[in-house]
Amino acid sequence: MSVPIERSRARLRAAVAGWKAAGARVGVVPTMGALHAGHISLVEAARAACDRVVVTLFINPRQFNNPADLESYPRTEVSDAAKLAPLGVDLLYVPDPDQIYPEGFATNVSVGGISDGLCGAHRPGHFDGVATVVTKLLLQTGAERAFFGEKDYQQLLIVRRLVRDLDIPCTITGCPTVREPDGLALSSRNARLDATARAIAPALNCAMLGAAAALAQGAAAAPALAAARQDIRAAGFDEVEYLELRDAATLAPVETADRPARLLAAAWVGGVRLIDNIAVPPDT
Ligand code: AMP
């Protein structure tokens, strides 16, 4: 059993058009490959909700603000295809670069406001790259449903916003973050953690859970977050890039969790940048 791989936009469109003509609901799961159980959970959600499932694999150069990060990003197409084979994926779209960025490509999709803080403040251009490629992948696949992880919470909200603003006829579904048993959120970049950094890494989620519990009880954000930052540093992280409490829907800063809120963080350990986020109060 293997998954058909398509590299051409025209042939992808022809395949999807055939499915739609037969009345199928088509779902898409955009990825950059190096698939892990987090990605697989999105594929399973798509499989459960749709008749046909397209997974895309495109390492999008425009969303890497750091050339070394792009250079070292894992490229594992063969094993990715093997992981998808038993899941009933109908097509793996691995576009040739010119299928996404043809000669002379000059358009940028930029989602205002919600892209500005958090990762947007620390990774210049990142979310424009994400918004542009997601717009293209949704239009190229023509999927009616698309599945994204809450792991990248700011990205999920940006995608919801651009789909609304640009009238793209696609429903966005957010799926819960899949974690290691010790709480570390699965990420393709976790493979870069050495043994020491891997042992320290779960401290990020652990400190966030502690802060979220206090915030859910009505604690003020500033002292609760200062204490959590200190715990993360004391555990061995090199830097806490940000740790912030935001409104869960708008990402506006909030002082207390007196409405559905989200605690979001990025921190560096052993040369690897990890991100995480959790609901406040916690999801039941
Ligand atoms: P990436 O390949 O990192 O661009 O991620 C592709 C999709 O998988 C995005 O929608 C991510 O939010 C989602 N994803 C990544 N890690 C996880 C995880 N640990 N749990 C759930 N979804 C994830």
Side-chain angles (χ1 to χ4, degrees), residues 30-33 36 38-39 42 73 148-149 151-152 155 176-178 186:
T31 83
M32 296 205 299
H36 51 62
H39 300 109
L42 305 186
Y73 203 84
F148 290 84
K151 158 77 174 17
D152 300 279
Q155 168 177 288
T177 301
V178 177
L186 296 191

Side-chain angles (χ1 to χ4, degrees), residues 65-81:
N65 52 306
N66 175 350
D69 188 25
L70 173 59
E71 185 65 30
S72 64
Y73 203 84
R75 289 163 169 80
T76 57
E77 180 185 316
V78 171
S79 63
D80 289 341

Side-chain angles (χ1 to χ4, degrees), residues 145-185:
R145 292 194 63 169
F147 297 79
F148 290 84
E150 288 182 350
K151 158 77 174 17
D152 300 279
Y153 192 79
Q154 190 174 14
Q155 168 177 288
L156 172 61
L157 295 192
I158 288 167
V159 170
R160 286 194 199 283
R161 168 59 58 181
L162 77 85
V163 161
R164 266 177 55 181
D165 288 356
L166 299 178
D167 302 316
I168 298 175
C170 183
T171 302
I172 305 301
T173 300
C175 301
T177 301
V178 177
R179 299 178 181 279
E180 299 283 5
D182 61 14
L184 176 66

Side-chain angles (χ1 to χ4, degrees), residues 215-282:
L215 292 162
Q217 298 294 316
L225 299 185
R229 258 187 219 106
Q230 214 165 23
D231 290 347
I232 295 163
R233 293 276 290 122
F237 271 80
D238 303 310
E239 185 197 340
V240 180
E241 203 172 82
Y242 65 79
L243 174 66
E244 295 190 37
L245 185 68
R246 298 291 184 108
D247 181 290
T250 65
L251 293 186
V254 292
E255 298 300 325
T256 57
D258 56 359
R259 72 201 83 172
R262 204 87 190 174
L263 184 58
L264 304 103
W268 289 83
V269 60
V272 181
R273 183 177 183 274
L274 300 179
I275 60 170
D276 201 347
N277 70 87
I278 55 176
V280 183

